[in-house]
Amino acid sequence: MDRPTLYIANKNYSSWSFRPWMALTGAGVDFEEVLIPFDYPGGNPDIKAVSPTGRVPLLQHGALKIWESLAIIEYVAELYPNAGLLPRDRAERALARSVSMEMLSGFRALRGACPMNIRRPKGKIALPDGVDADISRIETIWRDLLQQSGGPFLFGAFSGADAMFAPVVNRFEIYDLVSQNDTLAYMETMKAHPAWRKWEEAARAEPWIVPEDEV
């Protein structure tokens, strides 16, 4: 099978890139990584040269190009059905897709106010309307799934659903947004994953600074 290539942007800031990268890395999928930083005011032309949307992440597999983080995870889950990116149980797969899609399309208040930033020192900020509701909903999702599965990840073993929420783990931590013990325990589980640690190490070593994401 041809080795897929995953195009990503800055590891310190790119939540969209973090999701499929952590999913593939966490599942042990062999892929080539190509990082194209978005350190141009109008966007890096190198991204536009490879991506039909002018954005990353993008997975290239042979001549096929797949964009959007969840679509990439779903595609790779089909390529490698034993990698564990989706639960084996049909009902759990449907639930995993539901919460992943909710993360993909929702929580705009949280995402807008609190950009992902691996290097940011922990500290609170003033939160606009809507953020508290987003936080509460995410904590409810995590709590319900962990109680149902028994943990330590949302569906027991690490899966694509956990990867979809990985940037939220960073947001909750660096903006000091949560205090519930079960939420903090899940965050520690995610941060201890070898894929998370590998991403974090690379993010902290990056030279690029994007001022608009330095909240």
Side-chain angles (χ1 to χ4, degrees):
M1 185 181 296
D2 293 339
R3 187 179 184 219
T5 298
L6 181 65
Y7 293 90
I8 62 172
N10 310 48
K11 289 183 175 177
N12 188 57
Y13 303 108
S14 183
S15 59
W16 297 93
S17 298
F18 190 16
R19 293 166 176 158
W21 187 98
M22 183 155 182
L24 273 60
T25 303
V29 173
D30 182 30
F31 67 96
E32 180 182 0
E33 171 191 322
V34 177
L35 191 154
I36 308 174
F38 44 61
D39 58 344
Y40 289 67
N44 192 325
D46 291 341
I47 294 177
K48 297 175 182 178
V50 299
S51 172
T53 66
R55 300 176 180 176
V56 290
L58 178 132
L59 187 82
Q60 182 155 4
H61 189 213
L64 179 64
K65 292 184 176 183
I66 306 101
W67 55 95
E68 297 294 347
S69 55
L70 184 55
I72 292 170
I73 293 171
E74 288 274 346
Y75 177 76
V76 176
E78 291 186 8
L79 280 182
Y80 302 94
N82 296 320
L85 286 173
L86 288 172
R88 292 187 178 276
D89 179 78
R90 182 174 63 183
E92 289 189 350
R93 284 199 306 276
L95 187 55
R97 286 176 168 130
S98 293
V99 298
S100 295
M101 194 65 197
E102 186 175 357
M103 180 66 252
L104 182 73
S105 61
F107 311 119
R108 295 185 181 277
L110 172 66
R111 285 153 51 178
C114 305
M116 190 181 91
N117 186 335
I118 298 292
R119 296 192 300 255
R120 184 184 189 274
K122 183 176 180 178
K124 292 182 178 294
I125 62 171
L127 299 175
D129 292 344
V131 175
D132 286 340
D134 285 354
I135 294 169
S136 177
R137 173 57 186 155
I138 292 169
E139 287 195 281
T140 297
I141 292 171
W142 291 0
R143 183 174 300 114
D144 289 350
L145 292 177
L146 291 167
Q147 288 177 352
Q148 181 175 314
S149 71
F153 295 98
L154 297 179
F155 291 90
F158 176 81
S159 72
D162 297 289
M164 286 298 296
F165 283 98
V168 169
V169 173
N170 172 254
R171 290 178 166 104
F172 279 5
E173 179 184 28
I174 64 172
Y175 299 102
D176 195 13
L177 298 177
V178 293
S179 59
Q180 296 293 323
N181 288 336
D182 53 354
T183 299
L184 296 173
Y186 174 66
M187 290 165 59
E188 288 302 315
T189 296
M190 286 287 286
K191 288 161 53 186
H193 195 289
W196 179 290
R197 291 182 171 179
K198 185 176 180 181
W199 178 279
E200 180 181 22
E201 181 181 6
R204 292 187 181 279
E206 286 181 346
W208 309 292
I209 296 175
V210 179
E212 56 265 34
D213 287 336
E214 291 291 335
V215 176

